[in-house]
Amino acid sequence: MRNDDVRFAVNLAILTAHRLGEPRVLELSPDQLRDLRDSADPVDWAPGVPDWASGPMARYRDLRVAETAGSVGRVLAWDRARETEMVQLIPW
């Protein structure tokens, strides 16, 4: 996937997740996360870029990033009305 396509797919999923509730977590596979790191603007990441090798928490567009092996790529949102987690898949 081209860099622009990766960034577009992730950002579209984040925007779409707002219809489900409050987006909180961006879950990506290691390869998807690497592609996003390579394509996203530095301003989209929280200040103080983490040391990726040691696996600390990172934030992309104010969402916590969870690196999960085998993930299809999704945005987890909290639906306050139903008090449950909702899932928005990333349209790769």
Side-chain angles (χ1 to χ4, degrees):
M1 214 175 195
R2 285 189 11 236
N3 286 347
D4 291 342
D5 294 339
V6 169
R7 185 176 50 218
F8 178 79
V10 170
N11 292 339
L12 177 63
I14 292 169
L15 290 173
T16 305
H18 281 284
R19 70 178 169 75
L20 300 173
E22 178 185 343
R24 292 188 175 178
V25 179
L26 178 60
E27 183 184 272
L28 301 170
S29 72
D31 290 339
Q32 293 165 339
L33 180 56
R34 183 190 64 244
D35 290 344
L36 182 61
R37 278 197 321 259
D38 292 344
S39 66
D41 294 326
V43 71
D44 289 333
W45 296 97
V49 177
D51 175 9
W52 292 100
S54 63
M57 302 288 228
R59 295 189 76 77
Y60 176 79
R61 294 188 154 223
D62 205 30
L63 300 178
R64 184 173 61 83
V65 177
E67 184 176 352
T68 306
S71 176
V72 296
R74 58 194 194 156
V75 178
L76 306 178
W78 183 253
D79 182 342
R80 291 183 188 196
R82 295 184 184 112
E83 294 186 3
T84 189
E85 189 171 72
M86 305 294 281
V87 175
Q88 172 63 50
L89 296 178
I90 297 173
W92 301 110

